[in-house]
Amino acid sequence: RWSGPISVAVVGDQSIATEAVCGSSKPHPSASVLRAKIDQSLRWRGALLLGTTTTMQLFSYAGNYPINALRNAALNAVTTSHVLVVDVDFFPSTELHEAILAQSLYLKNHPRSALVVPAFQRKGNWRGYSDKRWKRELSKPDFIPENFAQLLDCLASVACIVFDFTWNRDAHGTTNTAAWVEATAKAASTRAFRAADRVRAAEAQPSGKDAPKLPEGLLPFASYVEPRRIACFKSARFEPYVVLRNNADVRFDASYTGYGKNKIEQIARLRYAGYVFAVLPL
């Protein structure tokens, strides 16, 4: 689904992690291979970094899962100008990477911008699912929507909802997802009319000739849509997934470990640093 580069941090026992990839000229192991090698009962004692290069980063601590240190480990391998940090259990849409690239000029002109990516989840309690059940559900073509059209169907049937909507509405409430869905649907309709115009133009040409090209410098479709600026946060607990310029501001406070509130620290710091938050159009 994602056509761009990916940097992933994976935790495992030091000796197993070293044996798996470090110092090896072999290709990076797949997630399934890593999972087979790493015993889930092990304490969190090391990190595998799967990026442009493979390195080992050790953590000297005892206790909670080092979530922000892992995020920083993955970020240290990023070589692109901008980055989107997401959790490992998120599925990007097939349209997301192109939507981000369409905002290249906006990102260049607004170096302190944070483009919010709307997030959704499949409704239901999935924590008790076995691996076998998960594989069966994920094999269904419509279980996780791949694009906006499929997402619309899933939202309309209430099979999909805004991420964490049931227990923590403040986490993504400021995004105003309903406004994003409506704007995206209108943009899709506009694209459909433009596509129809191109078809009519092609049909009007003599046999063997294509339709006239778009005027030079005229970008198609999503590049016309300006990100919708978020004027005010509805809650201090707003913790969106954002596209950011790859610099020191993106790094997380590694002193936050364990579950909960570890990502809000970054969002609050970006706000006080003068970053402008806007919702990524599709």
Side-chain angles (χ1 to χ4, degrees), residues 42-209:
L42 293 171
R43 299 292 292 175
W44 308 112
R45 284 178 283 175
L48 282 173
L49 182 61
L50 310 181
T52 306
T53 58
T54 301
T55 60
M56 172 68 84
Q57 178 174 341
L58 299 180
F59 299 97
S60 57
Y61 70 96
N64 291 331
Y65 182 79
I67 179 64
N68 278 357
L70 283 170
R71 286 170 172 152
N72 289 339
L75 283 167
N76 289 338
V78 173
T79 58
T80 53
S81 63
H82 291 77
V83 63
L84 168 65
V85 178
V86 296
D87 297 329
V88 72
D89 56 351
F90 270 60
F91 290 74
S93 77
T94 55
E95 301 159 326
L96 178 57
H97 189 234
E98 290 300 321
I100 295 172
L101 293 179
Q103 298 301 324
S104 296
L105 186 60
Y106 177 90
L107 290 168
K108 179 181 179 180
N109 294 336
H110 300 82
R112 285 181 172 257
S113 64
L115 288 184
V116 175
V117 177
F120 303 86
Q121 71 178 58
R122 186 82 187 188
K123 191 176 182 181
N125 182 12
W126 314 108
R127 294 183 180 181
Y129 274 28
S130 64
D131 285 352
K132 186 176 181 180
R133 176 72 183 275
W134 266 116
K135 289 180 180 178
R136 186 166 66 250
E137 295 294 340
L138 290 173
S139 66
K140 299 176 181 178
D142 60 344
F143 184 71
I144 302 293
E146 292 188 2
N147 51 46
F148 182 71
Q150 291 182 9
L151 176 64
L152 276 183
D153 290 339
C154 197
L155 290 171
S157 65
V158 200
C160 291
I161 56 175
V162 174
F163 179 64
D164 216 8
F165 182 78
T166 303
W167 304 109
N168 184 14
R169 297 189 179 188
D170 290 337
H172 295 272
T174 298
T175 302
N176 192 353
T177 303
W180 177 84
V181 170
E182 184 177 33
T184 304
K186 287 181 178 179
S189 177
T190 298
R191 287 197 285 271
F193 282 117
R194 286 182 178 172
D197 288 340
R198 305 309 296 163
V199 171
R200 278 190 288 269
E203 291 174 344
Q205 297 299 308
S207 179
K209 289 190 176 182

